[in-house]
Amino acid sequence: MFKLNQIIRKSTAIKLGMLLVASTVLLGASCKKTKTPDDTPGDPSKVFDKQGLLVNMADNIIIPSYADFKTALENLKLSFTNFKTSGSLTDFQTVKEKLHLAYLSYQRVSLFGFGPGEDASVRFNFNVFPANVTLINSNISSGSYDLKTISNIATKGFPALDYLFYGLNQAEADQMQLFLTDAKRSKYVNDLLNEMTTILNSVIDTWNSTYRSTFINSLGTDVGSSIGFLINQINYELDYLKNAKIGIPLGLKSGGKILPENCEAYYSGQSLTYAIETLGIIENMYLGKSYSGTNGKGFDDYLDHLGIQYTDGTLYNAIKNQFMSAQAKLSVLANPLSYQIETNSQAVTTAYQELIKLLVLLKTDLPSSLGVVITYQDGDGD
């Protein structure tokens, strides 16, 4: 339950105002900030447009990503309703297709774990894995459960749906029959989807009604600022990718004992696809790349504006190149990641190591260059 602990520690750390204030600012030794226009006081034309960056993040990345996820979740619910009516294998397969698309879309909002996303505990409610299969089956059998309790945190969201629609080494027709012969199973899925919809709608409503204005007008880089939230979440998500999605299944937190069953989306075997998607949204946030693919104002522009040097080049280029290296090492792998861990562990380890290199740049050099403090605790000292 490493991931659950991570979530609780992260949320606590951010809300209590940062017990780890010194951890990052002190680590910028490899960077050298040149004299830049942004250092010139009293001349607005030479100051980096932080609000432009935040507006781009809100209007072109965050809000559209939530909207897309809402559509994907609604499509999943509709497909399940259709399957319950028809009981056909075709409709069952459609549900699985829509489940994959919704899970993929979720990866694009997972990073936004601040503001409304944090208040609603989106990650906590949507994607704690591995699923507790024993408790899921017990809930269905008894028909008595409260999804809001901490004891049910690993019985809901996408990991539970992944198990319920795929099972382990189960023929598709047999898996479908479980729904046709047990009405409690369908009710359980309905309850999961309804909870997810309620939570997501509350997050979207808050962004659209009040939080966008708060977000784009928080122009500092101090603790609790929007830029501070973004930098912290970029790093939290990368830590989460490195550890929860790869390192733990690879056995790097269990003395070398591999735990392939701890992979995300273990039953559908889409773990690598989701890992690559996660790295992609991290890069998009860094670049300020919009949901439609347009490259807007991002942290790369901020670094370029500041002219931060890194070894014999710029930090801007160092981060760009390391994103490419990490993506290349992940891309040589194939789904399911659980199988790769069992049969091709060296290649998985290599990808993991490239993610560590990227994390060093994003967690030490980037925040120290921008005056941002990393406030979450990863637990492994990276």
Side-chain angles (χ1 to χ4, degrees), residues 316-376:
Y316 168 91
N317 281 327
I319 293 175
K320 181 179 70 174
N321 292 337
Q322 191 54 42
F323 265 116
M324 293 174 61
S325 296
Q327 288 163 343
K329 296 305 180 185
L330 279 177
S331 296
V332 302
L333 303 174
N335 276 319
L337 187 57
S338 56
Y339 182 73
Q340 294 285 308
I341 286 171
E342 293 180 295
T343 62
N344 193 18
S345 63
Q346 185 53 55
V348 181
T349 300
T350 299
Y352 175 87
Q353 292 168 341
E354 293 301 316
L355 292 174
I356 290 178
K357 294 176 185 176
L358 179 60
L359 185 62
V360 170
L361 292 169
L362 293 179
K363 194 173 180 181
T364 60
D365 298 294
L366 174 63
S368 65
S369 299
L370 303 184
V372 171
V373 175
I374 294 298
T375 56
Y376 73 91

Side-chain angles (χ1 to χ4, degrees), residues 104-137:
L104 192 65
S105 185
Y106 163 79
Q107 307 297 328
R108 301 169 191 147
V109 305
S110 173
L111 189 148
F112 312 140
F114 58 91
E118 182 183 17
D119 293 341
S121 300
V122 170
R123 187 198 305 271
F124 197 63
N125 284 300
F126 281 60
N127 199 29
V128 171
F129 59 88
N132 186 330
V133 170
T134 301
L135 189 52
I136 290 172
N137 289 331

Side-chain angles (χ1 to χ4, degrees), residues 220-233 372-375:
T221 58
D222 53 334
V223 172
S225 66
S226 295
I227 288 178
F229 281 146
L230 290 171
I231 294 292
N232 270 275
Q233 285 301 311
V372 171
V373 175
I374 294 298
T375 56

Side-chain angles (χ1 to χ4, degrees), residues 6 26 71 102 165-166 182 186 207 232 251-252 275 290 292 310 372:
Q6 291 284 84
L26 300 178
T71 299
F165 282 99
Y166 286 87
D182 186 358
S186 292
W207 262 100
N232 270 275
L252 299 181
S290 77
S292 61
Y310 182 82
V372 171

Side-chain angles (χ1 to χ4, degrees), residues 80-99:
F80 185 59
T81 298
N82 292 338
F83 164 67
K84 286 189 298 180
T85 300
S86 72
S88 74
L89 181 59
T90 298
D91 284 341
F92 184 70
Q93 292 168 335
T94 300
V95 175
K96 293 166 68 176
E97 175 192 346
K98 299 302 181 185
L99 173 58

Side-chain angles (χ1 to χ4, degrees), residues 8 12 28 31-32 34 44 95 107 119 138 158 195-196 204 241 269 294 297 302-304 321 324 332 365-366 379:
I8 294 172
T12 300
C31 293
K32 180 180 178 183
T34 60
V95 175
Q107 307 297 328
D119 293 341
S138 175
F158 284 111
E195 182 189 59
M196 295 165 75
I204 291 174
L241 167 61
T294 302
K297 199 176 293 295
Y302 201 170
L303 287 180
D304 191 35
N321 292 337
M324 293 174 61
V332 302
D365 298 294
L366 174 63

Side-chain angles (χ1 to χ4, degrees), residues 188-244:
Y188 195 73
V189 169
N190 269 337
D191 290 344
L192 298 183
L193 292 174
N194 287 337
E195 182 189 59
M196 295 165 75
T197 299
T198 299
I199 291 171
L200 178 61
N201 286 343
S202 73
V203 172
I204 291 174
D205 288 346
T206 305
W207 262 100
N208 289 332
S209 60
T210 59
Y211 191 73
R212 177 190 176 276
S213 177
T214 301
F215 179 79
I216 66 171
N217 288 301
S218 173
L219 303 181
T221 58
D222 53 334
V223 172
S225 66
S226 295
I227 288 178
F229 281 146
L230 290 171
I231 294 292
N232 270 275
Q233 285 301 311
I234 284 173
N235 280 285
Y236 183 85
E237 195 71 11
L238 184 54
D239 251 327
Y240 172 63
L241 167 61
K242 175 179 71 72
N243 288 329

